[in-house]
Amino acid sequence: MSASTVLILFLVAMVLSIYFGNKFDAIGLISMSFAYLIGVFGLGLKTSVVVGMFPAKILFTIIGICWLFGYANENGTLRQITLILVYRFRRFPSILPWVFFLIAGVICMTGASPYAPNAVLMPIIISICLATNMNPLFGSLMVNIGSYIGAQVPWGQGANIQRGVLEAGIHAGEVDSILWNGFFTCALFALVSGILTFLLFRGWKARVTDTNFITRPEPMTPVQKKTFALILVLVVLMVVPSLLGNLGLSALAALSRKLDISLVCIVLATVAALLKLADAKTVVTRHIPWNTLMMLAGVSMLVGVASEGGAVDLIGSWIGGNVPTAIIVPMFVLLSGFMSVFSAGSSVVVPTLFVLVPSVLTTAVGVNYHALYAGIAIGANASAVSPFSGGGSLTLANIKQDDIREKMFLPLILSAAALVLVAAVLGAVGLYGLV
């Protein structure tokens, strides 16, 4: 079977998987089925080869991270930290959007899901907006954009999906530098977008006559303090040895190589279970995104089959040979943003587009592939505020006021388009490959 035929089958399979998968909540299953049919009966691959494309390492990493942070979400630790910080800044309403912006970023930097800030912060920020005469859309955007700060942290869920793709490609020796560049450039995009949003909605004009509109929160419970301590342990173990190891301390560099994020999270989740910091069964069923994991697995297998048949190289070579070098990065940003409106960015769009990069580089001369990888990830994050995507849908789900929720639908779509456009402009001027 020719590469062009495989490409056609792959594109048809992707469209059908996304369309019927969204309809029946089964993108993973449908993608796996197509991977089997195209791979075994179309390309003549052994069934063991197709099964071997199941991304076990990536899934294990995500499960470990979600398992630990499931305890923090279930027992209210993240929410309680937020309430305490908000209370501290209640006398300065114009600063509160930035407080939520930073809290959202910090939550994601701990390795939590990029959608976790929506569930934790959205009901609170909407109430604050109403009490301080701010547009609820402004508050919701500051939470969503703030999450971009930590969305690409190298030990987070999204970055570990990318790590799995990169380690299988030609840039396996540069994985850490590519991921760190993605983190810093995504944080830069978040800062620029946050400033533009603050200026557009004139956030400095927030006013409040009664500083008691936010009541004093209860102190953290012993359970929440223990959970918070475990999160701090994780952050220290992931950051300090790696940072000091890069500065020349060989012992810590060796330790850093042994501190795998997934295994460290598993150990800390075990401690949380033994300390009974939340109901263990509830954490597993409610806070590990099993459907997302299966979606990632199915799409990864389908992309693996397409790559085996030459379809991925064909797409990448065509782009590299026909698209001007200067617009390749912004083009991928726009493509990633557009695709993420209709499908999961981190688990579907980013892995799919990441595998195209090596093929693009074979024919496109002078492309900064660090910037290209970062642009793909940023584009996927930027459109997440769309109601059709994870961030936007969770935003609406966590707004309790019906009238506000109904008015937010179209503005969130327009906001997603504007953020993707800003991301493309930043990519076009060369800000994504500075690290």
Side-chain angles (χ1 to χ4, degrees):
M1 185 181 294
S2 66
S4 57
T5 302
V6 176
L7 174 59
I8 294 173
L9 291 175
F10 167 68
L11 293 176
V12 171
M14 282 294 291
V15 171
L16 293 177
S17 296
I18 292 172
Y19 176 77
F20 288 105
N22 283 325
K23 194 171 183 179
F24 298 101
D25 202 20
I27 292 179
L29 284 173
I30 298 174
S31 298
M32 287 182 192
S33 299
F34 277 123
Y36 168 55
L37 295 174
I38 296 173
V40 174
F41 296 100
L43 295 175
L45 300 176
K46 293 182 178 180
T47 54
S48 59
V49 173
V50 176
V51 173
M53 294 175 182
F54 186 86
K57 182 179 179 181
I58 301 174
L59 300 189
F60 181 78
T61 299
I62 297 174
I63 289 172
I65 294 170
C66 291
W67 213 330
L68 173 61
F69 283 92
Y71 283 91
N73 278 308
E74 183 63 26
N75 63 31
T77 299
L78 296 179
R79 177 180 173 82
Q80 196 62 25
I81 294 171
T82 301
L83 293 174
I84 292 171
L85 290 174
V86 168
Y87 181 76
R88 299 289 185 186
F89 289 92
R90 70 192 185 283
R91 298 181 185 275
F92 311 99
S94 61
I95 297 178
L96 283 174
W98 288 109
V99 173
F100 277 80
F101 177 90
L102 293 174
I103 293 174
V106 170
I107 289 175
C108 288
M109 285 183 69
T110 61
S113 164
Y115 302 138
N118 283 287
V120 176
L121 305 179
M122 200 58 64
I124 308 172
I125 190 63
I126 295 300
S127 298
I128 290 175
C129 286
L130 296 177
T132 57
N133 297 311
M134 290 189 290
N135 190 326
L137 177 64
F138 170 48
S140 68
L141 287 176
M142 291 299 281
V143 170
N144 278 284
I145 295 172
S147 68
Y148 302 159
I149 296 176
Q152 291 301 123
V153 70
W155 54 83
Q157 296 179 38
N160 275 289
I161 293 174
Q162 296 162 27
R163 182 183 295 276
V165 177
L166 291 169
E167 287 178 344
I170 63 173
H171 297 125
E174 301 178 70
V175 173
D176 287 333
S177 60
I178 290 172
L179 293 181
W180 277 110
N181 176 70
F183 166 64
F184 285 117
T185 51
C186 195
L188 174 63
F189 166 66
L191 181 60
V192 172
S193 300
I195 292 172
L196 292 175
T197 302
F198 188 82
L199 295 175
L200 179 64
F201 287 94
R202 295 182 289 183
W204 64 88
K205 290 192 173 183
R207 295 290 182 270
V208 62
T209 55
D210 181 11
T211 57
N212 291 321
F213 75 101
I214 298 176
T215 58
R216 180 189 292 273
E218 295 292 328
M220 292 181 69
T221 65
V223 165
Q224 292 169 343
K225 290 179 180 178
K226 292 174 184 177
T227 306
F228 184 54
L230 290 178
I231 294 174
L232 290 179
V233 169
L234 173 66
V235 174
V236 171
L237 289 177
M238 289 298 103
V239 175
V240 176
S242 176
L243 181 61
L244 295 182
N246 290 332
L247 294 178
L249 296 178
S250 57
L252 288 177
L255 175 62
S256 176
R257 289 191 290 270
K258 296 180 180 180
L259 294 174
D260 179 82
I261 178 68
S262 55
L263 294 172
V264 172
C265 283
I266 289 292
V267 171
L268 294 176
T270 302
V271 174
L274 295 175
L275 293 175
K276 297 183 178 180
L277 301 184
D279 182 72
K281 291 182 179 179
T282 303
V283 169
V284 171
T285 56
R286 183 182 297 177
H287 298 286
I288 296 179
W290 297 109
N291 192 53
T292 299
L293 294 173
M294 290 303 100
M295 177 169 57
L296 169 62
V299 173
S300 295
M301 292 174 70
L302 182 56
V303 171
V305 167
S307 181
E308 190 74 22
V312 172
D313 288 338
L314 187 64
I315 297 174
S317 299
W318 183 90
I319 293 174
N322 293 276
V323 177
T325 301
I327 67 170
I328 285 181
V329 172
M331 185 201 76
F332 267 90
V333 172
L334 293 172
L335 179 60
S336 178
F338 174 76
M339 291 173 63
S340 295
V341 170
F342 305 100
S343 189
S346 61
S347 57
V348 176
V349 177
V350 174
T352 301
L353 296 182
F354 261 37
V355 297
L356 297 179
V357 174
S359 299
V360 171
L361 298 177
T362 60
T363 49
V365 180
V367 175
N368 185 329
Y369 55 88
H370 281 227
L372 187 51
Y373 283 124
I376 292 170
I378 291 170
N381 281 300
S383 64
V385 300
S386 163
F388 305 113
S389 198
S393 60
L394 281 172
T395 295
L396 295 177
N398 285 285
I399 295 177
K400 308 307 178 184
Q401 299 87 342
D402 292 338
D403 56 332
I404 295 176
R405 189 188 310 113
E406 292 173 0
K407 293 178 182 178
M408 292 271 279
F409 191 85
L410 180 58
L412 283 174
I413 295 176
L414 298 176
S415 298
L419 286 169
V420 171
L421 183 60
V422 170
V425 171
L426 294 179
V429 299
L431 291 182
Y432 289 166
L434 299 179
V435 180

